Amino acid sequence: MYIGRIVAVGRTLQGQGAALYRVSSRSFPNRQSVQLEKSIAIVPKPGFEQDIHRNPYIAYNCLRFAKGLCVVSNGSQTDPVTEKLEAGMGPRDALATVMLAMDYEHDSLDTPRITGIVDPAGETGWLAIVRKDALIVRSFALKPGEAFYVSTYEKNVPSPEQRDGAFDVSTAQEACDYILGKGVFAEFERPISAACALGQADGTFATAFK
């Protein structure tokens, strides 16, 4: 099944909060994750830079941090959500405010925007989506070994049913491997790249991309 981009928030069996992002693509597969100074970004691979002129939505910061929280998303909403958190706004209101203001991506597919937030201990996660027909923001009380996800297509409603109950990783790199092809995510087609963050004992996050 092809469900497009995927955002997930979870808690490892060791009690680490996890933020996961996966690029799955049919139209623009020639993309990669890169580490920048304060973020991980999705950009075209060398030789495919001109793709940005075909679709301006394919390059963006997908993972950033603010106030001890990790923000992960499929688009340029990553930055304003981070800024709202930095200004003292709570996760629910930051997501609702930014997603409503930016709306879905006005490309040929009316691609939804999806965003997640999680704390380092993985006690609470938030998922949000803005589609052409809806804006949904939901919080999840996370238990060890579970992750909740939302995607741009098909699985596009944050809900308890969209859950992986065997989420077991110990590093951010393992989290990338997981969302690219393990657990429930193995069912979904055309994985391209991943960027993930895993909470640490000191309240920070370790990051990885693949």
Side-chain angles (χ1 to χ4, degrees):
M1 176 187 294
Y2 179 70
I3 65 171
R5 269 63 68 205
I6 307 169
V7 163
V9 292
R11 189 179 193 184
T12 70
L13 291 175
Q14 294 76 34
Q16 299 163 284
L20 307 91
Y21 178 57
R22 169 175 142 175
V23 179
S24 309
S25 182
R26 291 182 291 205
S27 303
F28 294 94
N30 297 300
R31 286 184 283 170
Q32 62 183 344
S33 300
V34 297
Q35 181 73 57
L36 304 180
E37 182 179 358
K38 296 182 179 181
S39 67
I40 296 178
I42 304 299
V43 299
K45 291 180 178 179
F48 295 90
E49 292 86 355
Q50 294 303 310
D51 283 353
I52 196 72
H53 299 297
R54 296 169 53 203
N55 186 327
Y57 298 109
I58 65 171
Y60 46 87
N61 286 328
C62 69
L63 192 151
R64 287 187 63 185
F65 305 98
K67 295 290 187 180
L69 300 171
C70 182
V71 179
V72 61
S73 95
N74 75 324
S76 55
Q77 70 268 24
T78 305
D79 297 325
V81 170
T82 300
E83 290 161 7
K84 292 292 186 185
L85 294 174
E86 285 285 6
M89 189 174 286
R92 185 201 66 169
D93 292 349
L95 289 168
T97 300
V98 172
M99 301 285 272
L100 179 62
M102 295 190 71
D103 209 358
Y104 62 92
E105 296 178 354
H106 289 71
D107 57 7
S108 61
L109 298 174
D110 294 333
T111 302
R113 293 183 188 270
I114 52 175
T115 310
I117 299 175
V118 73
D119 64 85
E123 295 179 350
T124 308
W126 294 262
L127 291 174
I129 184 169
V130 59
R131 313 186 311 239
K132 192 173 183 178
D133 63 344
L135 168 64
I136 305 167
V137 181
R138 184 160 191 164
S139 65
F140 295 86
L142 301 171
K143 297 177 182 179
E146 72 177 3
F148 294 92
Y149 67 95
V150 65
S151 68
T152 50
Y153 312 120
E154 304 295 339
K155 305 287 186 177
N156 62 359
V157 179
S159 68
E161 289 72 33
Q162 288 173 199
R163 170 182 174 273
D164 186 306
F167 180 61
D168 184 15
V169 303
S170 57
T171 68
Q173 189 62 58
E174 288 181 3
C176 288
D177 293 335
Y178 200 93
I179 197 170
L180 284 171
K182 296 183 179 180
V184 68
F185 304 108
E187 304 172 14
F188 307 134
E189 300 173 354
R190 299 180 183 271
I192 301 299
S193 184
C196 298
L198 207 63
Q200 305 298 293
D202 63 358
T204 63
F205 284 89
T207 62
F209 57 91
K210 189 171 182 179

